[in-house]
Amino acid sequence: MPPMLDPVPFFQDFVENLNQVFFVYDPAANEVVFVNEAYEHIMGGNRNQVNQELHQLIARLHPDDRPYLANCWRRWQRGRLEEKEIEFRLLDPDGNLLDPDGAEQWLQLKPYRQQTGAEKELLGGFLEVITSQKEYIANADKFNAKKNATLEILSHDLAGPFIMLQQLAEYMGEQVSSLQNERLNEMISIMQTTCKESVNLIRDFVDQEFLDSANVELKTERVDMVERVQQMMESYEQSESLVDKHFQLIAPQEPIYISLDVNKFMQVLNNLLSNAVKFTPDGGHITVTVAQEPTTVRFTVADDGIGIPKALQAGLFDRFTKARRPGLRGEKTTGLGMSIIKTIVGLHRGHIWFESEEGKGSTFYIDIPLDLASNPDGQHKA
């Protein structure tokens, strides 16, 4: 058997040639004991002076990310860090939020903790710039949310004319029945069937988008939900003339961060908005509110529509609920939407409930636990 080669030179050379910053920190000594060469061209520092430069790096952290990172740091030292990847933003040396390309500079830390003895521990990890990936994902999320909102608006806008044609065809059928013209009656029947199937096809397509999303595994990330809800509401506010409803968003100016699957959760809000559109008469009002509570973020979707009858309220969140009703324009419903909404909210350790009075409208509330940065103990509380 050939002698075993010393792997240390290989790993040293490997680490030195990484395009990621690799570092090792000794909490007992309160200093970085190793950092590779990538630190110099990625972070713009001097690896031989990394400990002297630490305070400068900390000062460059984005203000919104500092509480989150401080909380992660405390849990990392205690061995209670759950995150496998930590994403944050870094200001440039002059304190600006933008990098030379005009985008926020995002970094991702993959942390590691090694207990080398009863007292001794080392913290380390890999740090890389992920600005381009974040830009791509942010744009994809933005257009995905816009796509879902547009589908809902179009489904409502397109269904209206088909339903009107169906009603006109039914009226025409009644008026010409006395003529006993078999060919004419057949043509009117085809008109009725075509209109009905077209409405169902539009609704089925939109519903399938929601069902497909619900069956995909959660992928959580830390997101400013004020910004995301604003983006969604822009589509609805621009469509007021199409759906003949008045939309309003009530939200703070400052960001509110939560860890969630943003695509799934935005579809939850979009589905609630879609229901509000379906059950609110022309000229009605629909208001979305985002507010930070002590341990949660509360999302509210309120309308002044027809409301939910008392007899249907108890089973509203049941799968294939008997509470399903066609919309005011005849839009079909599968009875699955509210059940999926409750499931997705539950997966986020959230809570959903509603208040409704027939003839006066409905208000749906969703509470989602605050991001870890907002909770000093690092625990989610519902």
Side-chain angles (χ1 to χ4, degrees):
M1 181 177 178
M4 295 291 290
L5 297 176
D6 182 4
V8 173
F10 171 83
F11 286 111
Q12 286 178 334
D13 185 62
F14 171 75
V15 167
E16 286 296 346
N17 287 281
L18 283 173
N19 290 322
Q20 304 171 335
V21 176
F22 175 74
F23 68 94
V24 179
Y25 177 82
D26 183 351
N30 192 29
E31 66 178 9
V32 176
V33 294
F34 176 83
V35 66
N36 66 350
E37 187 178 345
Y39 169 78
E40 300 195 351
H41 62 81
I42 290 179
M43 308 302 291
N46 184 330
R47 64 188 298 193
N48 296 318
Q49 299 177 14
V50 60
N51 287 295
Q52 292 88 339
E53 295 172 353
L54 275 179
H55 70 282
Q56 298 173 0
L57 289 173
I58 293 173
R60 290 174 58 191
L61 294 174
H62 192 292
D64 289 350
D65 296 341
R66 289 177 187 176
Y68 171 71
L69 290 172
N71 185 280
C72 288
W73 174 248
R74 288 193 295 270
R75 290 181 291 116
W76 191 9
Q77 289 181 298
R78 300 171 190 166
R80 295 170 53 196
L81 185 66
E82 297 177 1
E83 291 88 338
K84 302 299 183 185
E85 299 172 347
I86 300 172
E87 297 178 354
F88 60 96
R89 288 160 291 182
L90 201 66
L91 313 182
D92 69 20
D94 296 324
N96 299 317
L97 296 179
L98 303 178
D99 69 11
D101 297 324
E104 289 182 324
Q105 186 182 24
W106 281 90
L107 293 101
Q108 181 186 81
L109 169 65
K110 294 181 179 179
Y112 180 71
R113 179 176 181 269
Q114 183 183 61
Q115 193 78 32
T116 58
E119 299 292 335
K120 187 69 172 177
E121 68 172 4
L122 293 173
L123 305 178
F126 295 89
L127 188 66
E128 65 177 320
V129 177
I130 58 166
T131 302
S132 59
Q133 297 97 306
K134 291 293 289 186
E135 285 180 339
Y136 178 84
I137 293 171
N139 285 329
D141 289 345
K142 179 179 178 180
F143 286 108
N144 187 58
K146 187 176 182 65
K147 177 263 296 180
N148 290 332
T150 301
L151 283 176
E152 290 290 357
I153 293 163
L154 285 176
S155 71
H156 184 274
D157 194 41
L158 291 174
F162 280 118
I163 292 168
M164 182 179 294
L165 288 172
Q166 181 182 347
Q167 293 170 344
L168 289 173
E170 291 173 355
Y171 176 76
M172 289 171 60
E174 294 173 358
Q175 296 302 308
V176 303
S177 59
S178 60
L179 299 178
Q180 296 183 345
N181 185 323
E182 184 175 340
R183 179 60 177 162
L184 184 59
N185 290 336
E186 182 182 352
M187 292 174 64
I188 292 174
S189 177
I190 291 173
M191 289 174 60
Q192 292 175 335
T193 302
T194 301
C195 290
K196 183 177 181 180
E197 289 179 349
S198 296
V199 171
N200 290 342
L201 180 65
I202 293 168
R203 193 63 246 171
D204 287 343
F205 177 75
V206 176
D207 287 344
Q208 192 60 48
E209 283 283 301
F210 187 47
L211 293 174
D212 289 345
S213 173
N215 292 326
V216 179
E217 184 180 354
L218 281 183
K219 185 181 184 306
T220 60
E221 58 181 310
R222 183 169 171 263
V223 183
D224 173 11
M225 286 305 295
V226 172
E227 179 184 17
R228 296 306 176 94
V229 175
Q230 284 174 340
Q231 292 173 354
M232 179 187 70
M233 289 301 293
E234 286 174 3
S235 298
Y236 281 94
E237 289 167 351
Q238 292 168 4
S239 74
E240 286 186 349
S241 60
L242 296 176
V243 298
D244 198 14
K245 308 288 187 295
H246 302 287
F247 296 93
Q248 181 184 16
L249 171 63
I250 300 175
Q253 294 294 319
E254 63 275 7
I256 298 177
Y257 292 95
I258 322 177
S259 293
L260 44 64
D261 187 317
V262 65
N263 286 320
K264 276 190 173 58
F265 192 76
M266 292 309 297
Q267 283 198 272
V268 163
L269 295 180
N270 194 60
N271 196 269
L272 289 175
L273 270 166
S274 171
N275 287 339
V277 168
K278 285 191 289 187
F279 296 109
T280 301
D282 290 348
H285 298 79
I286 299 171
T287 302
V288 176
T289 304
V290 183
Q292 184 168 323
E293 304 289 332
T295 59
T296 61
V297 177
R298 178 164 297 176
F299 300 87
T300 306
V301 179
D303 65 67
D304 55 4
I306 63 173
I308 305 169
K310 280 284 187 183
L312 300 179
Q313 292 186 12
L316 186 67
F317 292 110
D318 294 345
R319 190 174 177 84
F320 297 111
T321 175
K322 294 180 180 179
R324 60 183 182 271
R325 301 171 292 167
L328 296 182
R329 294 192 177 188
E331 302 96 330
K332 67 173 290 190
T333 176
T334 62
L336 279 169
M338 297 307 298
S339 171
I340 294 173
I341 285 173
K342 185 176 182 181
T343 298
I344 293 176
V345 170
L347 289 172
H348 287 91
R349 290 179 280 187
H351 176 54
I352 181 170
W353 73 102
F354 69 94
E355 297 172 352
S356 185
E357 185 175 347
E358 196 167 4
K360 294 188 177 181
S362 304
T363 302
F364 284 84
Y365 304 89
I366 299 177
D367 278 357
I368 299 293
L370 272 172
D371 185 78
L372 289 171
S374 303
N375 190 331
D377 298 324
Q379 302 287 333
H380 281 296
K381 299 178 182 178

Short mmCIF file of all heavy atoms in Angstrom, two decimals, residues 205-258:
data_model
loop_
_atom_site.label_atom_id
_atom_site.label_comp_id
_atom_site.label_asym_id
_atom_site.label_seq_id
_atom_site.Cartn_x
_atom_site.Cartn_y
_atom_site.Cartn_z
N PHE A 205 -57.43 28.00 -15.71
CA PHE A 205 -56.03 28.32 -15.95
C PHE A 205 -55.44 29.08 -14.77
O PHE A 205 -54.34 28.77 -14.29
CB PHE A 205 -55.90 29.14 -17.23
CG PHE A 205 -54.49 29.58 -17.52
CD1 PHE A 205 -53.55 28.68 -18.00
CD2 PHE A 205 -54.10 30.90 -17.31
CE1 PHE A 205 -52.25 29.09 -18.27
CE2 PHE A 205 -52.80 31.30 -17.57
CZ PHE A 205 -51.88 30.40 -18.05
N VAL A 206 -56.16 30.08 -14.27
CA VAL A 206 -55.67 30.88 -13.14
C VAL A 206 -55.59 30.02 -11.88
O VAL A 206 -54.61 30.08 -11.12
CB VAL A 206 -56.58 32.10 -12.91
CG1 VAL A 206 -56.13 32.88 -11.69
CG2 VAL A 206 -56.57 33.00 -14.13
N ASP A 207 -56.62 29.19 -11.64
CA ASP A 207 -56.61 28.33 -10.46
C ASP A 207 -55.45 27.34 -10.50
O ASP A 207 -54.84 27.05 -9.47
CB ASP A 207 -57.93 27.57 -10.35
CG ASP A 207 -59.09 28.45 -9.92
OD1 ASP A 207 -58.82 29.57 -9.42
OD2 ASP A 207 -60.26 28.06 -10.09
N GLN A 208 -55.13 26.83 -11.67
CA GLN A 208 -54.05 25.85 -11.79
C GLN A 208 -52.71 26.47 -11.44
O GLN A 208 -51.85 25.82 -10.86
CB GLN A 208 -54.00 25.28 -13.21
CG GLN A 208 -53.10 24.06 -13.34
CD GLN A 208 -53.54 22.91 -12.44
OE1 GLN A 208 -54.72 22.56 -12.40
NE2 GLN A 208 -52.60 22.35 -11.70
N GLU A 209 -52.53 27.75 -11.77
CA GLU A 209 -51.31 28.46 -11.39
C GLU A 209 -51.13 28.43 -9.87
O GLU A 209 -50.04 28.21 -9.35
CB GLU A 209 -51.38 29.90 -11.87
CG GLU A 209 -51.12 30.08 -13.35
CD GLU A 209 -49.64 30.00 -13.68
OE1 GLU A 209 -48.86 30.79 -13.14
OE2 GLU A 209 -49.28 29.11 -14.46
N PHE A 210 -52.22 28.65 -9.15
CA PHE A 210 -52.17 28.67 -7.70
C PHE A 210 -51.95 27.28 -7.14
O PHE A 210 -51.17 27.07 -6.21
CB PHE A 210 -53.47 29.28 -7.17
CG PHE A 210 -53.48 29.51 -5.67
CD1 PHE A 210 -52.41 30.12 -5.05
CD2 PHE A 210 -54.56 29.13 -4.90
CE1 PHE A 210 -52.41 30.35 -3.68
CE2 PHE A 210 -54.57 29.34 -3.53
CZ PHE A 210 -53.50 29.96 -2.92
N LEU A 211 -52.63 26.27 -7.70
CA LEU A 211 -52.50 24.89 -7.24
C LEU A 211 -51.08 24.38 -7.46
O LEU A 211 -50.52 23.71 -6.59
CB LEU A 211 -53.50 23.99 -7.97
CG LEU A 211 -54.98 24.24 -7.68
CD1 LEU A 211 -55.84 23.38 -8.59
CD2 LEU A 211 -55.31 23.97 -6.24
N ASP A 212 -50.49 24.69 -8.60
CA ASP A 212 -49.12 24.25 -8.89
C ASP A 212 -48.14 24.84 -7.88
O ASP A 212 -47.23 24.16 -7.40
CB ASP A 212 -48.70 24.67 -10.30
CG ASP A 212 -49.41 23.86 -11.37
OD1 ASP A 212 -49.99 22.82 -11.03
OD2 ASP A 212 -49.41 24.30 -12.54
N SER A 213 -48.31 26.10 -7.54
CA SER A 213 -47.42 26.76 -6.59
C SER A 213 -47.53 26.13 -5.21
O SER A 213 -46.54 25.97 -4.50
CB SER A 213 -47.75 28.25 -6.50
OG SER A 213 -47.01 28.86 -5.47
N ALA A 214 -48.73 25.75 -4.82
CA ALA A 214 -48.96 25.20 -3.48
C ALA A 214 -48.28 23.86 -3.29
O ALA A 214 -48.01 23.45 -2.17
CB ALA A 214 -50.45 25.07 -3.22
N ASN A 215 -47.99 23.15 -4.39
CA ASN A 215 -47.41 21.82 -4.29
C ASN A 215 -45.89 21.82 -4.33
O ASN A 215 -45.28 20.76 -4.33
CB ASN A 215 -47.95 20.94 -5.44
CG ASN A 215 -49.43 20.65 -5.28
OD1 ASN A 215 -49.92 20.52 -4.17
ND2 ASN A 215 -50.14 20.57 -6.39
N VAL A 216 -45.28 22.99 -4.39
CA VAL A 216 -43.82 23.09 -4.44
C VAL A 216 -43.29 23.34 -3.02
O VAL A 216 -43.90 24.06 -2.23
CB VAL A 216 -43.39 24.24 -5.38
CG1 VAL A 216 -41.88 24.36 -5.41
CG2 VAL A 216 -43.93 23.99 -6.79
N GLU A 217 -42.15 22.74 -2.70
CA GLU A 217 -41.56 22.88 -1.37
C GLU A 217 -41.24 24.34 -1.04
O GLU A 217 -40.85 25.11 -1.92
CB GLU A 217 -40.29 22.04 -1.31
CG GLU A 217 -39.62 22.01 0.07
CD GLU A 217 -38.36 21.17 0.07
OE1 GLU A 217 -38.08 20.53 -0.96
OE2 GLU A 217 -37.67 21.15 1.10
N LEU A 218 -41.42 24.71 0.23
CA LEU A 218 -41.14 26.07 0.66
C LEU A 218 -39.66 26.41 0.48
O LEU A 218 -38.78 25.60 0.80
CB LEU A 218 -41.49 26.25 2.13
CG LEU A 218 -42.95 26.47 2.52
CD1 LEU A 218 -43.05 26.69 4.02
CD2 LEU A 218 -43.57 27.62 1.79
N LYS A 219 -39.40 27.60 -0.02
CA LYS A 219 -38.03 28.12 -0.11
C LYS A 219 -38.04 29.51 0.52
O LYS A 219 -38.42 30.49 -0.11
CB LYS A 219 -37.56 28.18 -1.56
CG LYS A 219 -36.08 28.59 -1.68
CD LYS A 219 -35.64 28.67 -3.12
CE LYS A 219 -34.14 28.96 -3.23
NZ LYS A 219 -33.74 30.17 -2.48
N THR A 220 -37.64 29.58 1.77
CA THR A 220 -37.75 30.83 2.51
C THR A 220 -36.54 31.72 2.29
O THR A 220 -35.42 31.24 2.07
CB THR A 220 -37.92 30.56 4.02
OG1 THR A 220 -36.78 29.84 4.50
CG2 THR A 220 -39.18 29.75 4.28
N GLU A 221 -36.79 33.01 2.35
CA GLU A 221 -35.73 34.01 2.28
C GLU A 221 -36.20 35.25 3.05
O GLU A 221 -37.40 35.42 3.30
CB GLU A 221 -35.41 34.38 0.83
CG GLU A 221 -36.59 34.91 0.05
CD GLU A 221 -36.25 35.23 -1.39
OE1 GLU A 221 -35.24 35.94 -1.61
OE2 GLU A 221 -36.98 34.77 -2.28
N ARG A 222 -35.25 36.08 3.44
CA ARG A 222 -35.57 37.30 4.18
C ARG A 222 -35.96 38.38 3.19
O ARG A 222 -35.17 38.75 2.33
CB ARG A 222 -34.36 37.71 5.02
CG ARG A 222 -34.58 38.92 5.91
CD ARG A 222 -33.41 39.06 6.87
NE ARG A 222 -33.46 40.32 7.59
CZ ARG A 222 -32.80 41.41 7.25
NH1 ARG A 222 -32.01 41.40 6.19
NH2 ARG A 222 -32.90 42.51 7.96
N VAL A 223 -37.19 38.89 3.32
CA VAL A 223 -37.76 39.78 2.31
C VAL A 223 -38.41 41.00 2.96
O VAL A 223 -39.02 40.90 4.02
CB VAL A 223 -38.84 39.03 1.49
CG1 VAL A 223 -39.39 39.91 0.39
CG2 VAL A 223 -38.28 37.75 0.90
N ASP A 224 -38.26 42.15 2.30
CA ASP A 224 -38.99 43.35 2.70
C ASP A 224 -40.39 43.25 2.10
O ASP A 224 -40.59 43.46 0.91
CB ASP A 224 -38.27 44.60 2.18
CG ASP A 224 -39.06 45.89 2.43
OD1 ASP A 224 -40.06 45.85 3.17
OD2 ASP A 224 -38.69 46.92 1.84
N MET A 225 -41.38 42.94 2.95
CA MET A 225 -42.73 42.69 2.45
C MET A 225 -43.48 43.97 2.09
O MET A 225 -44.43 43.94 1.32
CB MET A 225 -43.53 41.88 3.46
CG MET A 225 -43.12 40.42 3.51
SD MET A 225 -43.20 39.60 1.88
CE MET A 225 -44.95 39.68 1.54
N VAL A 226 -43.07 45.10 2.64
CA VAL A 226 -43.69 46.37 2.23
C VAL A 226 -43.43 46.60 0.75
O VAL A 226 -44.34 46.93 -0.02
CB VAL A 226 -43.16 47.55 3.08
CG1 VAL A 226 -43.67 48.87 2.52
CG2 VAL A 226 -43.59 47.39 4.54
N GLU A 227 -42.19 46.41 0.33
CA GLU A 227 -41.83 46.60 -1.08
C GLU A 227 -42.57 45.62 -1.97
O GLU A 227 -43.09 46.00 -3.03
CB GLU A 227 -40.32 46.43 -1.25
CG GLU A 227 -39.86 46.59 -2.69
CD GLU A 227 -38.37 46.32 -2.86
OE1 GLU A 227 -37.77 45.69 -1.94
OE2 GLU A 227 -37.80 46.70 -3.88
N ARG A 228 -42.65 44.34 -1.57
CA ARG A 228 -43.28 43.32 -2.41
C ARG A 228 -44.78 43.57 -2.56
O ARG A 228 -45.33 43.40 -3.65
CB ARG A 228 -43.01 41.93 -1.84
CG ARG A 228 -41.56 41.54 -1.83
CD ARG A 228 -40.93 41.69 -3.23
NE ARG A 228 -39.51 41.40 -3.23
CZ ARG A 228 -38.99 40.22 -3.52
NH1 ARG A 228 -39.78 39.21 -3.84
NH2 ARG A 228 -37.70 40.06 -3.52
N VAL A 229 -45.45 43.95 -1.47
CA VAL A 229 -46.88 44.21 -1.56
C VAL A 229 -47.15 45.46 -2.40
O VAL A 229 -48.12 45.52 -3.16
CB VAL A 229 -47.51 44.33 -0.16
CG1 VAL A 229 -48.99 44.71 -0.25
CG2 VAL A 229 -47.38 43.01 0.60
N GLN A 230 -46.29 46.45 -2.27
CA GLN A 230 -46.43 47.65 -3.10
C GLN A 230 -46.36 47.30 -4.59
O GLN A 230 -47.15 47.80 -5.39
CB GLN A 230 -45.33 48.67 -2.76
CG GLN A 230 -45.55 49.42 -1.46
CD GLN A 230 -44.37 50.30 -1.10
OE1 GLN A 230 -43.25 50.10 -1.57
NE2 GLN A 230 -44.61 51.28 -0.23
N GLN A 231 -45.42 46.43 -4.95
CA GLN A 231 -45.29 46.01 -6.35
C GLN A 231 -46.56 45.32 -6.84
O GLN A 231 -47.02 45.56 -7.96
CB GLN A 231 -44.08 45.09 -6.51
CG GLN A 231 -42.74 45.78 -6.30
CD GLN A 231 -41.58 44.82 -6.30
OE1 GLN A 231 -41.76 43.59 -6.33
NE2 GLN A 231 -40.36 45.35 -6.23
N MET A 232 -47.13 44.45 -6.00
CA MET A 232 -48.35 43.75 -6.40
C MET A 232 -49.52 44.72 -6.55
O MET A 232 -50.28 44.65 -7.52
CB MET A 232 -48.71 42.69 -5.36
CG MET A 232 -49.99 41.92 -5.67
SD MET A 232 -50.50 40.81 -4.33
CE MET A 232 -51.01 42.02 -3.09
N MET A 233 -49.64 45.66 -5.60
CA MET A 233 -50.79 46.57 -5.62
C MET A 233 -50.74 47.53 -6.80
O MET A 233 -51.77 48.01 -7.25
CB MET A 233 -50.86 47.34 -4.31
CG MET A 233 -51.28 46.48 -3.12
SD MET A 233 -52.91 45.73 -3.34
CE MET A 233 -53.96 47.18 -3.30
N GLU A 234 -49.54 47.82 -7.30
CA GLU A 234 -49.43 48.70 -8.47
C GLU A 234 -50.23 48.15 -9.64
O GLU A 234 -50.89 48.89 -10.38
CB GLU A 234 -47.96 48.88 -8.86
CG GLU A 234 -47.18 49.79 -7.93
CD GLU A 234 -45.70 49.85 -8.25
OE1 GLU A 234 -45.30 49.21 -9.27
OE2 GLU A 234 -44.94 50.50 -7.52
N SER A 235 -50.18 46.82 -9.82
CA SER A 235 -50.91 46.21 -10.93
C SER A 235 -52.41 46.38 -10.74
O SER A 235 -53.14 46.67 -11.70
CB SER A 235 -50.56 44.71 -11.02
OG SER A 235 -49.20 44.53 -11.29
N TYR A 236 -52.89 46.20 -9.51
CA TYR A 236 -54.32 46.32 -9.26
C TYR A 236 -54.78 47.78 -9.36
O TYR A 236 -55.85 48.07 -9.89
CB TYR A 236 -54.67 45.74 -7.88
CG TYR A 236 -54.76 44.23 -7.89
CD1 TYR A 236 -53.66 43.45 -7.56
CD2 TYR A 236 -55.94 43.59 -8.24
CE1 TYR A 236 -53.73 42.07 -7.57
CE2 TYR A 236 -56.02 42.20 -8.26
CZ TYR A 236 -54.91 41.45 -7.92
OH TYR A 236 -54.98 40.08 -7.95
N GLU A 237 -53.95 48.69 -8.83
CA GLU A 237 -54.33 50.10 -8.90
C GLU A 237 -54.39 50.59 -10.34
O GLU A 237 -55.25 51.41 -10.69
CB GLU A 237 -53.32 50.93 -8.09
CG GLU A 237 -53.46 50.71 -6.58
CD GLU A 237 -52.29 51.27 -5.79
OE1 GLU A 237 -51.30 51.67 -6.44
OE2 GLU A 237 -52.36 51.30 -4.55
N GLN A 238 -53.51 50.07 -11.19
CA GLN A 238 -53.53 50.45 -12.60
C GLN A 238 -54.72 49.85 -13.34
O GLN A 238 -55.07 50.30 -14.42
CB GLN A 238 -52.22 50.01 -13.27
CG GLN A 238 -51.00 50.78 -12.79
CD GLN A 238 -49.70 50.15 -13.24
OE1 GLN A 238 -49.69 49.16 -13.98
NE2 GLN A 238 -48.58 50.69 -12.77
N SER A 239 -55.34 48.82 -12.75
CA SER A 239 -56.45 48.14 -13.42
C SER A 239 -57.82 48.61 -12.94
O SER A 239 -58.84 48.02 -13.30
CB SER A 239 -56.35 46.63 -13.17
OG SER A 239 -56.73 46.33 -11.83
N GLU A 240 -57.86 49.68 -12.13
CA GLU A 240 -59.14 50.11 -11.55
C GLU A 240 -60.22 50.32 -12.61
O GLU A 240 -61.38 49.97 -12.42
CB GLU A 240 -58.94 51.39 -10.73
CG GLU A 240 -58.23 51.16 -9.41
CD GLU A 240 -58.16 52.41 -8.55
OE1 GLU A 240 -58.49 53.50 -9.08
OE2 GLU A 240 -57.81 52.30 -7.37
N SER A 241 -59.84 50.89 -13.76
CA SER A 241 -60.83 51.14 -14.80
C SER A 241 -61.30 49.85 -15.46
O SER A 241 -62.42 49.78 -15.97
CB SER A 241 -60.24 52.07 -15.87
OG SER A 241 -59.09 51.47 -16.47
N LEU A 242 -60.45 48.79 -15.41
CA LEU A 242 -60.81 47.52 -16.04
C LEU A 242 -61.81 46.74 -15.19
O LEU A 242 -62.78 46.19 -15.71
CB LEU A 242 -59.57 46.67 -16.29
CG LEU A 242 -58.54 47.21 -17.28
CD1 LEU A 242 -57.33 46.30 -17.34
CD2 LEU A 242 -59.16 47.34 -18.67
N VAL A 243 -61.57 46.68 -13.90
CA VAL A 243 -62.43 45.87 -13.03
C VAL A 243 -63.44 46.72 -12.27
O VAL A 243 -64.25 46.18 -11.52
CB VAL A 243 -61.58 45.03 -12.05
CG1 VAL A 243 -60.68 44.07 -12.79
CG2 VAL A 243 -60.73 45.93 -11.15
N ASP A 244 -63.37 48.04 -12.44
CA ASP A 244 -64.31 48.96 -11.81
C ASP A 244 -64.34 48.79 -10.29
O ASP A 244 -65.39 48.67 -9.67
CB ASP A 244 -65.72 48.79 -12.39
CG ASP A 244 -66.60 50.01 -12.09
OD1 ASP A 244 -66.05 51.06 -11.68
OD2 ASP A 244 -67.83 49.90 -12.27
N LYS A 245 -63.15 48.76 -9.68
CA LYS A 245 -63.00 48.71 -8.23
C LYS A 245 -61.96 49.75 -7.83
O LYS A 245 -61.12 50.15 -8.63
CB LYS A 245 -62.53 47.32 -7.76
CG LYS A 245 -63.34 46.13 -8.26
CD LYS A 245 -64.69 46.03 -7.63
CE LYS A 245 -65.39 44.73 -8.03
NZ LYS A 245 -65.69 44.67 -9.48
N HIS A 246 -62.01 50.17 -6.56
CA HIS A 246 -61.04 51.13 -6.04
C HIS A 246 -60.10 50.39 -5.08
O HIS A 246 -60.55 49.80 -4.09
CB HIS A 246 -61.76 52.27 -5.32
CG HIS A 246 -62.73 53.01 -6.19
ND1 HIS A 246 -62.33 53.87 -7.20
CD2 HIS A 246 -64.10 53.01 -6.21
CE1 HIS A 246 -63.40 54.36 -7.80
NE2 HIS A 246 -64.47 53.86 -7.23
N PHE A 247 -58.80 50.42 -5.38
CA PHE A 247 -57.81 49.71 -4.58
C PHE A 247 -56.98 50.70 -3.76
O PHE A 247 -56.64 51.78 -4.23
CB PHE A 247 -56.88 48.89 -5.47
CG PHE A 247 -57.58 47.80 -6.23
CD1 PHE A 247 -58.06 48.02 -7.51
CD2 PHE A 247 -57.78 46.56 -5.65
CE1 PHE A 247 -58.71 47.02 -8.22
CE2 PHE A 247 -58.43 45.55 -6.35
CZ PHE A 247 -58.90 45.78 -7.63
N GLN A 248 -56.64 50.28 -2.53
CA GLN A 248 -55.83 51.13 -1.66
C GLN A 248 -54.86 50.26 -0.86
O GLN A 248 -55.21 49.17 -0.40
CB GLN A 248 -56.73 51.92 -0.69
CG GLN A 248 -55.94 52.85 0.24
CD GLN A 248 -56.83 53.55 1.25
OE1 GLN A 248 -57.98 53.15 1.47
NE2 GLN A 248 -56.31 54.60 1.88
N LEU A 249 -53.64 50.75 -0.71
CA LEU A 249 -52.64 50.09 0.12
C LEU A 249 -52.31 50.99 1.30
O LEU A 249 -52.00 52.17 1.12
CB LEU A 249 -51.38 49.80 -0.68
CG LEU A 249 -50.17 49.30 0.12
CD1 LEU A 249 -50.46 47.95 0.77
CD2 LEU A 249 -48.93 49.21 -0.76
N ILE A 250 -52.35 50.43 2.49
CA ILE A 250 -51.94 51.13 3.71
C ILE A 250 -50.72 50.39 4.27
O ILE A 250 -50.83 49.24 4.69
CB ILE A 250 -53.07 51.18 4.75
CG1 ILE A 250 -54.30 51.89 4.17
CG2 ILE A 250 -52.61 51.87 6.03
CD1 ILE A 250 -55.51 51.85 5.09
N ALA A 251 -49.56 51.04 4.25
CA ALA A 251 -48.33 50.41 4.70
C ALA A 251 -47.36 51.48 5.16
O ALA A 251 -47.42 52.63 4.71
CB ALA A 251 -47.70 49.58 3.58
N PRO A 252 -46.44 51.13 6.07
CA PRO A 252 -45.45 52.12 6.53
C PRO A 252 -44.43 52.44 5.45
O PRO A 252 -44.29 51.70 4.47
CB PRO A 252 -44.79 51.41 7.72
CG PRO A 252 -44.95 49.95 7.42
CD PRO A 252 -46.27 49.82 6.72
N GLN A 253 -43.73 53.54 5.61
CA GLN A 253 -42.69 53.92 4.66
C GLN A 253 -41.44 53.06 4.82
O GLN A 253 -40.76 52.74 3.85
CB GLN A 253 -42.31 55.40 4.85
CG GLN A 253 -43.42 56.37 4.52
CD GLN A 253 -43.77 56.35 3.04
OE1 GLN A 253 -42.89 56.27 2.19
NE2 GLN A 253 -45.06 56.42 2.73
N GLU A 254 -41.15 52.66 6.06
CA GLU A 254 -39.94 51.89 6.32
C GLU A 254 -40.18 50.41 5.99
O GLU A 254 -41.31 49.92 6.00
CB GLU A 254 -39.50 52.03 7.77
CG GLU A 254 -40.48 51.50 8.81
CD GLU A 254 -41.54 52.51 9.20
OE1 GLU A 254 -41.60 53.59 8.56
OE2 GLU A 254 -42.30 52.21 10.14
N PRO A 255 -39.11 49.66 5.68
CA PRO A 255 -39.27 48.24 5.33
C PRO A 255 -39.66 47.38 6.54
O PRO A 255 -39.40 47.75 7.69
CB PRO A 255 -37.88 47.86 4.81
CG PRO A 255 -36.95 48.84 5.42
CD PRO A 255 -37.72 50.12 5.57
N ILE A 256 -40.32 46.26 6.25
CA ILE A 256 -40.63 45.25 7.26
C ILE A 256 -40.12 43.92 6.72
O ILE A 256 -40.58 43.44 5.69
CB ILE A 256 -42.14 45.15 7.55
CG1 ILE A 256 -42.67 46.47 8.11
CG2 ILE A 256 -42.42 44.01 8.53
CD1 ILE A 256 -44.18 46.46 8.36
N TYR A 257 -39.16 43.32 7.41
CA TYR A 257 -38.54 42.09 6.93
C TYR A 257 -39.16 40.86 7.59
O TYR A 257 -39.39 40.83 8.81
CB TYR A 257 -37.04 42.10 7.21
CG TYR A 257 -36.29 43.12 6.39
CD1 TYR A 257 -36.00 44.39 6.90
CD2 TYR A 257 -35.88 42.82 5.10
CE1 TYR A 257 -35.32 45.32 6.14
CE2 TYR A 257 -35.20 43.76 4.33
CZ TYR A 257 -34.93 45.00 4.85
OH TYR A 257 -34.26 45.93 4.10
N ILE A 258 -39.43 39.84 6.76
CA ILE A 258 -39.92 38.56 7.26
C ILE A 258 -39.20 37.46 6.48
O ILE A 258 -38.85 37.64 5.32
CB ILE A 258 -41.44 38.37 7.04
CG1 ILE A 258 -42.21 39.64 7.25
CG2 ILE A 258 -41.98 37.28 7.95
CD1 ILE A 258 -43.69 39.49 6.98
#
